[in-house]
Structure formats: C-alpha cells, structure tokens
C-alpha cells in the first residue's frame, strides 16, 4: 500500500513539465513586458507633421505587406503541399509557363509601385520641411492671422542652443513653444554635421556648418518631450539631448518671463565660450541676445577677423578678388579655429604612413598650379610643407604619426 504523503512518479513528471512550460512562457513574455515600458512616440506623436509621417509609414507598410504577406504564407503552403510524403502533390517537371501566374506576378507589384510612387510624390511636397504649414491639425487650417514662432537652432559640441529672435531670449538644452501654433525652425551647426530630432514633433532634419536648413512644425498637445541628436558627432554625442516643452499660451508666457528674469546676455564673447566642447551641459537661459548673432554663426564669422560665408559668395559671384585675395587666406581658415583657441588637440593631421601632409608643394615634373603662386610658387623648395588644406597650423608639430600607427602586423590577418 502506497503512503498518501508520497505522490506518484508520473505526477512529479507532470509537475516538472508544467513548471518548464511556465518558465518558457515567462521567458517569451518577459521581452514584451520590458518593451511595454518603452514609449512608442514615433507611432504615437503629438505634432501634426509627425502624425502625417506616421500615417505614411503605416500606409507604406500596409501596401508592401500586400506582397510580403502572401509570399510568406504561400512559401509554407507550397512546402507543405509538395512535400515528399504527400502523394497528392502533382509532380510536373515539364512546367515552364503560366499566363495567369505571370499576370498576377507582374500586375500586383506594379500597382503597388504606382501607389507608393503617388504617395511619395504627394507627401514629399506636402511634408517639405521648407514649406509653410497648411494646417495645424486634421481639418484645422492655419489661421490667416497666425504668425509662426521663429526658433533659431544651433548644434554645438555637444549641446543645443535655441534663439528666439522675436522675443530676444535664448536657452541651452531646453526649448518651449505654444500648442497649436506653427513653429518655424532655422537650423545650423557650429562645427560638424548633426541632426535635430524631436520624435513627437516632426521628422529628423540635418544641421550643417556654413548652411541653414528649415523645418516647419506644430505641437498639438501639452507636455514635456524628448529631443536628441540623430547624427553621430563625437565623444559627447550620446548626451546631446534636450527638453521640448509644449505649453499653453499662459504657460509659454511664464516660461519666457522666467528666461528673461534669470539669464545673462548672449553676445559674441558669450557664444564663443559656449561653443567650446562640453558634455552633459545643464539647462542655461539668456535674457537677451546680440542682434545678428545667428547670421554670424551661419556665416562662420562670429570670431573677429573671419570672413563670412556670404562675403565669400559675393567675391565668387564677381569673379574673385584677384591679387587682393592674398590677404583673405587667414580669414578663410575655419577648420583650425579650435586649434588656435586651444580647445581642440591637433589630432591625426598626418597620415599614418609617415609621409608628410599634403600641401601645395607638388611632385617634380608636374605643371605648376597658378592658384598657388600667391604663396611664393608651388614648386619652390621648402624646409617644411605649408599649411595646405586641412593640415596643422604653421609652427605646429609636423612629424609623422606615432610609431604604433605606422607599424604593420607581422602576421597575416586570419579571416
């Protein structure tokens, strides 16, 4: 007689199988539970431009699934129907053509491509970041008397500067805008390419030094949203984030008053200090902004003695400055301004091969370049290469790269 306190052996096995199934189900549900804490802001945005872009993503995916879905389903169906163990599967090695299949295979993708092309054409013009907004929400056109809020955006290393020229204020790593009001962004960068991105507001837009890009957007719901850099720009890229506040009219007025009451003046000297590379910069406010600062940032001529980009364009349009251009050489040297100020190391300015840097000294036998004669003749012997394009400043270390960069592996690399 079996004692009641000892369960049967098969009961223990069933309990073990049940526990194993429970653990497997938990393992499958755990990633879903973790992902549920992530905000799907791209698919649930708060700005009308981002909503239209979301709808475009959904429509494009649905159209492509018209082909992808049946192909995946038919792959499994054919594998099952024509398996070796199925005697009902027709074996026809001489099959080579079917008009019906050809019509389906070519017509359906062609119709999908036409539909995607039409959607792309329409959305490309409707969502053009340079085009003024036509509506602030579905069925709500922009009021005739509505004036967009202009925000000038500068991507710095590694922080964001927002200038409100009409309000005369500026902020670092924080911006705000009233809900249901059009926003006109003017964007540039101080040193390298970057990308301005507020997923809840609109799509990503590039910022480039010496150039200005535009973005038109609107925020339709009050709240605090996350903004970030969408393009790698160096060591501090991962912490190049900011807060975007969508506020009501009263809340935006209070935010403006707070910025005006607690900040300093943003002039050229303050900007040059702010431009120095720094990471995890705290929120900072400026109660006033020097006139024309953003234009000087775009023109790469905030620092005294630099030629502005528009001045360079004017010289190009009139055919060049002739002999007078000799004095413009240092005014056009933008790449080494960080090195001049001592806020950036020389870096890898020389090839790891150990060869001297490229300059205007040409190899023997080549025809002299007239544009280099202003430097005393391109083929004249020199004790050291001149500055050329992208090399270190005169007087800087002009030796070859460190030895470890010049060494080649002694053994062949195994792939």
């Amino acid at each position: 007689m079996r004692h009641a306190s000892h369960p049967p052996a098969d009961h223990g096995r069933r309990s073990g199988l049940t526990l194993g199934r429970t653990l497997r189900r938990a393992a499958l549900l755990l990633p879903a539970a973790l992902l549920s804490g992530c905000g799907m802001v791209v698919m649930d945005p708060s700005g009308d431009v981002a909503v239209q872009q979301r709808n475009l993503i959904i429509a494009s995916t649905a159209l492509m699934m018209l082909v992808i879905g049946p192909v995946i389903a038919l792959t499994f169906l054919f594998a099952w129907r024509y398996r070796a163990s199925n005697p009902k599967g027709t074996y026809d090695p001489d099959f080579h053509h079917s008009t019906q299949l050809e019509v389906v295979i070519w017509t359906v993708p062609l119709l999908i491509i036409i539909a995607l092309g039409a959607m792309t054409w329409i959305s490309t013009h409707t969502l053009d970041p340079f085009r003024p907004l036509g509506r602030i929400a579905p069925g709500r056109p922009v009021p005739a008397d509505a004036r967009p809020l202009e925000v000038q955006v500068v991507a710095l290393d590694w922080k964001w500067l927002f200038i409100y020229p009409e309000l005369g204020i500026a902020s670092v790593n924080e911006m705000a805008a009233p809900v249901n009001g059009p926003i006109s962004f003017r964007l540039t960068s101080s040193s390298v390419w970057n990308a301005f991105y507020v997923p809840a507001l609109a799509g990503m837009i590039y910022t480039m030094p010496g150039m200005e890009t535009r973005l038109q957007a609107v925020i339709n719901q009050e709240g605090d949203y996350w903004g970030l850099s969408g393009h790698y720009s160096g060591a501090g890229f991962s912490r190049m984030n900011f807060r975007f506040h969508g506020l009501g009219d009263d809340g935006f007025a209070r935010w403006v008053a707070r910025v005006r009451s607690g900040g300093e003046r943003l002039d050229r000297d303050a900007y040059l200090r702010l431009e120095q590379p720094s990471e995890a910069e705290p929120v900072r406010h400026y109660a006033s902004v020097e006139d024309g600062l953003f234009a000087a940032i775009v023109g790469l001529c905030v620092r005294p003695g630099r030629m502005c980009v528009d001045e360079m364009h004017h010289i190009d349009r009139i055919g060049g400055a002739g002999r007078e251009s000799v004095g413009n050489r240092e005014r056009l040297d933008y790449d080494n301004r960080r090195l001049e100020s001592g806020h950036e190391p020389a870096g890898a300015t020389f090839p790891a091969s150990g060869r001297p840097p490229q300059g205007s000294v040409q190899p023997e036998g080549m025809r002299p370049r007239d544009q280099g004669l202003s430097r005393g003749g391109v083929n004249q012997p020199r004790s050291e290469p001149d500055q050329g394009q992208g090399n270190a400043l005169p007087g800087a270390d002009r030796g070859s790269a460190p030895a470890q960069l010049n060494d080649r592996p002694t053994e062949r690399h195994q792939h």
Side-chain angles (χ1 to χ4, degrees):
M1 182 176 180
R2 183 173 293 167
H3 198 276
S5 61
H6 293 82
D10 59 344
H11 177 74
R13 287 194 296 271
R14 288 197 299 271
S15 299
L17 292 175
T18 302
L19 179 60
R21 284 195 296 268
T22 303
L23 292 176
R24 286 194 294 271
R25 290 172 182 172
L28 292 174
L29 292 175
L30 180 60
L34 294 175
L35 290 175
S36 64
C38 300
M40 295 290 290
V41 63
V42 174
M43 304 307 294
D44 186 23
S46 302
D48 183 64
V49 174
V51 168
Q52 295 182 67
Q53 294 171 338
R54 185 272 314 272
N55 295 340
L56 182 63
I57 293 174
I58 294 175
S60 302
T61 303
L63 280 174
M64 289 183 286
M65 287 301 296
L66 292 178
V67 169
I68 297 174
V71 167
I72 294 175
L74 290 173
T75 299
F76 289 101
L77 176 62
F78 289 170
W80 173 257
R81 180 178 177 83
Y82 298 104
R83 67 192 187 278
S85 59
N86 183 15
K88 297 182 180 180
T90 303
Y91 177 68
D92 186 6
D94 297 326
F95 174 83
H96 61 87
H97 179 74
S98 171
T99 302
Q100 293 83 357
L101 283 178
E102 292 288 343
V103 171
V104 173
I105 289 172
W106 288 101
T107 302
V108 174
L110 181 61
L111 293 176
I112 293 175
I113 291 173
I114 293 174
L116 286 173
M119 290 173 50
T120 302
W121 175 267
I122 296 172
S123 61
T124 298
H125 291 80
T126 303
L127 300 176
D128 183 357
F130 281 74
R131 179 179 180 177
L133 294 180
R135 72 181 201 186
I136 59 175
R140 295 181 58 186
V142 177
D145 58 345
R147 184 176 180 181
L149 174 66
E150 182 177 325
V151 182
Q152 299 167 344
V153 183
V154 184
L156 303 168
D157 294 332
W158 289 273
K159 47 196 170 288
W160 293 95
L161 172 64
F162 302 97
I163 302 174
Y164 293 77
E166 299 169 345
L167 303 175
I169 59 175
S171 60
V172 173
N173 285 343
E174 181 187 53
M175 70 160 295
V179 297
N180 295 324
I183 312 170
S184 179
F185 291 98
R186 300 173 58 189
L187 308 101
T188 191
S189 176
S190 66
S191 59
V192 297
W193 276 41
N194 222 301
F196 174 80
Y197 189 30
V198 182
L201 181 69
M204 187 184 307
I205 189 74
Y206 275 109
T207 65
M208 294 164 280
M211 299 180 64
E212 179 184 321
T213 51
R214 298 288 184 96
L215 177 65
Q216 313 296 325
V218 61
I219 192 72
N220 300 114
Q221 299 178 20
E222 294 188 28
D224 292 337
Y225 304 99
W226 191 249
L228 52 96
S229 168
H231 188 90
Y232 180 74
S233 58
F237 156 78
S238 60
R239 293 191 285 182
M240 192 174 171
N241 307 313
F242 65 93
R243 285 291 182 181
F244 173 77
H245 305 294
L247 305 171
D249 292 338
D250 294 339
F252 181 69
R254 289 193 295 270
W255 182 84
V256 172
R258 186 169 68 253
V259 173
R260 284 175 174 167
S261 63
E264 54 181 308
R265 174 173 172 77
L266 181 61
D267 53 17
R268 296 195 178 212
D269 292 336
Y271 171 79
L272 292 174
R273 293 192 299 269
L274 179 65
E275 188 190 30
Q276 300 172 14
S278 62
E279 299 182 28
E281 189 74 18
V283 173
R284 189 183 306 176
H285 295 154
Y286 294 93
S288 62
V289 181
E290 180 179 333
D291 293 337
L293 178 60
F294 183 75
I297 296 172
V298 175
L300 301 176
C301 54
V302 177
R303 186 179 299 277
R306 289 290 184 261
M307 179 184 291
C308 296
V309 172
D310 57 351
E311 185 181 354
M312 185 197 319
H313 292 170
H314 173 72
I315 294 175
D316 291 340
R317 281 195 298 268
I318 64 176
R323 296 184 179 275
E324 290 77 10
S325 62
V326 177
N328 293 333
R329 178 184 170 189
E330 292 187 0
R331 297 180 62 203
L332 291 168
D333 190 6
Y334 303 108
D335 294 336
N336 290 318
R337 66 188 190 277
R338 293 279 181 81
L339 186 60
E340 287 179 339
S341 61
H343 297 116
E344 185 176 18
T349 57
F350 293 88
S353 62
R355 295 190 301 268
Q358 292 184 355
S360 60
V361 180
Q362 294 180 249
E364 294 183 5
M366 290 188 65
R367 185 176 180 179
R369 296 177 298 189
D370 293 338
Q371 63 268 27
L373 293 177
S374 61
R375 303 183 183 183
V378 294
N379 283 333
Q380 293 184 5
R382 297 170 184 266
S383 59
E384 62 178 16
D386 67 351
Q387 188 173 348
Q389 297 182 3
N391 297 313
L393 290 176
D397 182 13
R398 294 182 176 273
S400 60
Q404 64 269 20
L405 296 181
N406 294 327
D407 293 340
R408 294 188 177 182
T410 55
E411 297 182 1
R412 194 182 179 93
H413 181 69
Q414 300 296 325
H415 293 281

